[in-house]
Amino acid sequence: MFDHSGPWMNFLWALENPHPKKAIEALRFEPICGTLVISGVSVGDACSMPLRWEKRKKAVLKIPSELNTLGLNETELLSHIRLDLGQIAAIRPRFVYPTHDWEKTRQNLEPIAAMDEFIVEYAAHPDAAFHLADGKSVAARDLTDYSSGSDSRLTPIDSADQRVTLRVVDARTNKVRPVKLHVHGRMGEYLTPLDRMRKPDRQWCEDYSPDFCHGNHLSTYISGVTTIDLPLGEVYIEITNGFEVKPVRTTLEITRYTKELTVEIDKSLRWREMGWVTADTHVHFLSPPTAMLEGAAEGVNVINLLASQWGELMTNVGDFDGNSTFGTKSAGGTGEFLVRVGTENRQHVLGHISLLGYSGNMILPLCAGGPHESAIGDPVDVLITEWAQQCRKQGGLVVMPHFPDPRMENAASIVLGEVDAVEMTTLDDLYCGIDSYSLVDWYRYLNNGYLIPAVAGTDKMSTEGAVGMIRTYAKIPDSREFSYETWMGAVRAGHTFVTTGPLIDLNVDGKAMGSRFSLSSSGGSVDVSWKAASIVVPMTRIELIVNGEVKESRAIRPDEDAGSWSVRIQKSSWIAVVIRAKYCDKPEMIAAHSSPIMMDVEGSQFFAAADALTILDQIEASMAYVDTIGILADVKRYKEMRLLLASAHRRLHNRMHEMGFQHTHTVGAHHSEHD
């Protein structure tokens, strides 16, 4: 073995007895030159060269339930099995999938972990033996077939040695399609393409291979064609491609004659053809090509890959040039799946802000104010509102990520009109839906007349999140071609909805989501029309939201539905719809939410006193932080930032007085009118 850290190299070799019928009585080493160090000598009897192992294999280890392996990590599990003349590469629980009704079960369904069975992956010599925790030994060559009904503690898993080319094609066009792929054998063993990790990394910033780890259910992303080694017999395949393609779960029979496999996928919903494009506004750590692959495989047209800072670590900064959109036709792509590198600029107390699609120099500093975002001792020398203003000057789109957390200066940014959208997220949870806390805080601003559309981003930072797990749908105008610039325009116009599966469209008196129109002082009735469809998660209910309250609600068909309401409007109001949905084994969730449509009634102003006061409190908290514990850059910079926050405070505060609302202030914001 070659070891850079040692003073010499040790070589291991097996010397064959040239006369096997004669016993060895002595060994004599005679160096030809230099010094020879013999570290050790042993003797043994092997059927073949002891240093030549057989290829990697797998077996199922049964551990008696009384030994209680619950919660043991891989290192601790290794105490239950040892191997001589070989090496155990991995040991993990055996996962039990539905077998007989595999094709009828839903996508991403997690298998059950067997309590007393574990898959052992190993490489060994034919003479090797396993040594179990109870003192028993099992010769590797004596492993019995699992299907024989033997009670052996170790049973082999069929070797995956049939090399197959797998192709996934569109059923209508026969063109190859990028997809998310899962394959397992009859014992639940995960099977991967040759260029994918058998055991994907799950940790933060370790997303080196394009994989998705949904609990115990593992998948990988492929371009549409891949090479994979499969066992003979039945293999179980799952293929998905976003929210408009029907998921595939199928069982295939592999024989010695199987060299190629083709699986068809069918696009059941055609919203892209109607001008809707999908986006993830918040992705970290992937390379642009990997982001493009995962986006295409998940049916996400726009991936916003965000460079940022994490203390002393900078990520994706080398991918930012303030100019390139990867995937365009001019860049050699198809123009259908795009990746643009922006930045997430962050301050631990004042908040985070996503700056998307801007051109020119990177907006710096990336982070400020010290840990955890920036380095120890970094001053508060910039506000997130100033980052927003600079982004807009450079033609970019300003998004408040994982709204409203951290919940501080975003209030000032919104009041000053520097925010284009707020972002909903699920934080790697497929089943939590859209967080009601995020919605309630968003509603505060809508109730006070700030028309801010919703977008969705995953904040993906590991393989435990998938791009587009929650996504934005934005409608490109019929007269415009899809590009990154027209996508930004659609978001600015507010013609968006966010979803974890269901697709929705909404209009009020023919006006699209994001619209704002006027009504006379008498108000009037408006016609609300909607349609919804879903092939990923069954829909259960639609709710009509008016000024943050549920005004209408009804059950809907699980796959596709449409309807309308007539709503009486007597004061300035906003309208949106919510789709609730439910997997059969999970609780109901808020699965989709439209951006609002606003109606200004003459003589009626948008104003919700309690919500306005909460917004004002946030601005005052930002002022207090800058005044007290925020690390000062210099006096001039402090005064400039303080003045900007005060202008936001004054704008909302004056409005509250105009509306006749009496309120209290913190000490730092008190003024004579309240004496």
Side-chain angles (χ1 to χ4, degrees):
M1 180 183 73
F2 183 64
D3 185 355
H4 288 282
S5 62
W8 65 74
M9 292 185 293
N10 283 315
F11 291 90
L12 180 65
W13 191 246
L15 302 174
E16 184 179 2
N17 183 356
H19 305 287
K21 294 183 179 180
K22 296 182 180 180
I24 296 176
E25 295 183 356
L27 288 175
R28 179 182 178 86
F29 297 91
E30 295 184 1
I32 296 175
C33 61
T35 302
L36 177 66
V37 177
I38 306 299
S39 300
V41 176
S42 65
V43 66
D45 186 14
C47 69
S48 61
M49 172 63 167
L51 301 184
R52 173 176 283 180
W53 295 350
E54 296 181 325
K55 65 182 181 181
R56 187 175 60 252
K57 298 179 180 179
K58 295 177 183 177
V60 175
L61 170 67
K62 296 181 181 179
I63 299 179
S65 57
E66 60 267 20
L67 294 182
N68 188 16
T69 59
L70 186 65
L72 296 184
N73 61 36
E74 189 167 357
T75 301
E76 293 166 330
L77 286 170
L78 285 171
S79 65
H80 290 274
I81 185 169
R82 293 283 189 265
L83 177 62
D84 60 26
L85 281 178
Q87 178 69 49
I88 293 176
I91 179 171
R92 57 183 71 94
R94 185 173 88 81
F95 298 129
V96 181
Y97 283 93
T99 299
H100 300 297
D101 57 350
W102 167 253
E103 297 183 5
K104 298 179 182 179
T105 55
R106 68 171 176 82
Q107 79 287 348
N108 292 320
L109 181 65
E110 286 191 75
I112 300 171
M115 298 299 294
D116 59 350
E117 292 186 335
F118 298 84
I119 291 181
V120 179
E121 195 169 358
Y122 67 95
H125 187 272
D127 289 343
F130 293 94
H131 305 277
L132 307 181
D134 59 4
K136 294 182 180 179
S137 297
V138 178
R141 61 164 57 96
D142 292 340
L143 297 188
T144 57
D145 185 5
Y146 191 91
S147 62
S148 68
S150 169
D151 60 357
S152 172
R153 296 277 296 281
L154 270 171
T155 51
I157 291 176
D158 297 335
S159 296
D161 54 11
Q162 183 67 19
R163 186 153 295 180
V164 174
T165 299
L166 175 65
R167 291 166 48 88
V168 182
V169 300
D170 187 293
R172 304 188 189 198
T173 66
N174 203 38
K175 291 183 178 179
V176 171
R177 291 286 295 273
V179 294
K180 178 161 66 70
L181 172 71
H182 163 87
V183 185
H184 70 263
R186 66 187 184 94
M187 295 306 297
E189 72 276 20
Y190 179 50
L191 302 168
T192 65
L194 299 185
D195 57 352
R196 295 294 186 266
M197 298 174 68
R198 302 192 310 278
K199 185 182 177 184
D201 290 323
R202 295 173 180 263
Q203 300 304 310
W204 183 88
C205 203
E206 291 185 0
D207 211 351
Y208 304 124
S209 177
D211 303 302
F212 176 45
C213 303
H214 177 51
N216 298 330
H217 183 64
L218 307 180
S219 305
T220 192
Y221 295 101
I222 64 171
S223 64
V225 180
T226 193
T227 302
I228 185 170
D229 287 344
L230 300 175
L232 301 182
E234 292 183 334
V235 296
Y236 304 86
I237 295 179
E238 175 187 279
I239 293 171
T240 61
N241 181 240
F243 294 171
E244 299 179 40
V245 174
K246 185 177 181 180
V248 172
R249 276 196 165 191
T250 187
T251 305
L252 299 177
E253 185 74 23
I254 307 302
T255 72
R256 283 296 178 200
Y257 301 101
T258 305
K259 303 297 182 182
E260 294 186 1
L261 291 171
T262 299
V263 180
E264 292 184 341
I265 58 174
D266 185 33
K267 191 170 186 180
S268 302
L269 302 176
R270 308 192 73 78
W271 287 49
R272 174 67 188 92
E273 288 73 8
M274 295 186 291
W276 292 95
V277 296
T278 57
D280 189 330
T281 54
H282 196 159
V283 174
H284 289 293
F285 304 152
L286 298 179
S287 68
T290 301
M292 195 179 309
L293 168 63
E294 296 192 15
E298 288 285 1
V300 180
N301 302 106
V302 178
I303 299 291
N304 289 281
L305 184 60
L306 304 185
S308 197
Q309 176 182 357
W310 320 81
E312 300 291 352
L313 173 67
M314 304 288 181
T315 58
N316 287 112
V317 293
D319 298 316
F320 179 93
D321 65 3
N323 178 57
S324 300
T325 300
F326 300 91
T328 62
K329 291 180 180 179
S330 61
T334 65
E336 185 64 12
F337 299 100
L338 309 178
V339 175
R340 181 81 180 206
V341 182
T343 57
E344 184 185 13
N345 295 55
R346 297 152 51 240
Q347 210 281 341
H348 187 56
V349 175
L350 292 178
H352 298 186
I353 193 164
S354 296
L355 311 179
L356 312 183
Y358 64 89
S359 300
N361 294 330
M362 183 179 288
I363 297 173
L364 299 173
L366 281 172
C367 296
H372 296 292
E373 274 75 359
S374 67
I376 294 173
D378 283 347
V380 182
D381 56 354
V382 63
L383 297 174
I384 65 170
T385 304
E386 293 174 310
W387 278 324
Q389 292 170 335
Q390 187 60 40
C391 179
R392 285 182 153 190
K393 288 179 182 178
Q394 295 180 218
L397 190 74
V398 177
V399 173
M400 286 298 177
H402 37 68
F403 189 79
D405 290 325
R407 190 168 177 262
M408 187 76 84
E409 197 200 329
N410 53 28
S413 302
I414 292 173
V415 167
L416 291 172
E418 300 293 351
V419 177
D420 294 305
V422 297
E423 178 186 274
M424 306 296 155
T425 190
T426 58
L427 296 178
D428 299 346
D429 190 333
L430 276 173
Y431 310 116
C432 71
I434 300 170
D435 188 2
S436 56
Y437 172 65
S438 298
L439 295 178
V440 167
D441 213 67
W442 179 35
Y443 291 175
R444 296 185 200 279
Y445 295 94
L446 299 179
N447 289 342
N448 281 283
Y450 301 103
L451 178 50
I452 315 166
V455 294
T458 55
D459 199 4
K460 173 180 165 62
M461 290 189 277
S462 76
T463 57
E464 292 191 330
V467 296
M469 182 184 292
I470 182 172
R471 64 189 63 179
T472 312
Y473 268 74
K475 181 71 178 296
I476 305 297
D478 294 338
S479 59
R480 306 291 300 278
E481 289 187 3
F482 166 53
S483 66
Y484 189 85
E485 288 69 26
T486 56
W487 172 77
M488 287 197 295
V491 172
R492 291 189 186 103
H495 202 164
T496 67
F497 65 88
V498 298
T499 181
T500 60
L503 312 185
I504 54 178
D505 198 2
L506 167 73
N507 69 74
V508 175
D509 278 356
K511 306 293 194 304
M513 292 175 285
S515 298
R516 188 167 195 159
F517 62 96
S518 300
L519 295 174
S520 66
S521 59
S522 60
S525 293
V526 294
D527 293 324
V528 179
S529 300
W530 58 270
K531 63 179 180 179
S534 180
I535 58 172
V536 174
V537 54
M539 301 182 295
T540 56
R541 180 165 294 277
I542 185 168
E543 295 172 347
L544 176 68
I545 309 298
V546 180
N547 293 339
E549 298 179 359
V550 178
K551 291 299 184 183
E552 300 282 353
S553 177
R554 78 166 177 86
I556 57 176
R557 292 192 294 271
D559 54 349
E560 194 165 8
D561 213 333
S564 62
W565 288 291
S566 179
V567 180
R568 176 65 180 168
I569 301 297
Q570 297 177 302
K571 64 177 183 178
S572 292
S573 301
W574 60 270
I575 287 177
V577 292
V578 163
I579 300 290
R580 294 184 181 269
K582 183 184 184 304
Y583 293 101
C584 61
D585 56 335
K586 299 293 181 182
E588 188 180 64
M589 60 181 173
I590 299 174
H593 200 301
S594 75
S595 283
I597 299 168
M598 277 191 170
M599 293 145 287
D600 292 293
V601 175
E602 184 181 357
S604 168
Q605 292 191 41
F606 277 98
F607 184 71
D611 292 334
L613 184 58
T614 298
I615 296 169
L616 194 71
D617 285 344
Q618 286 182 233
I619 299 173
E620 291 180 359
S622 300
M623 296 164 70
Y625 171 71
V626 171
D627 288 344
T628 56
I629 61 174
I631 300 175
L632 287 175
D634 57 63
V635 174
K636 179 177 180 293
R637 186 82 274 268
Y638 159 73
K639 289 181 177 180
E640 292 169 342
M641 293 188 297
R642 187 60 164 76
L643 184 61
L644 182 60
L645 293 173
S647 68
H649 185 275
R650 188 180 309 111
R651 182 175 298 187
L652 179 57
H653 173 263
N654 290 347
R655 187 175 172 210
M656 293 169 71
H657 277 279
E658 290 170 4
M659 299 300 296
F661 178 61
Q662 297 300 315
H663 55 280
T664 58
H665 285 302
T666 59
V667 174
H670 186 76
H671 56 90
S672 59
E673 285 98 327
H674 291 280
D675 290 334

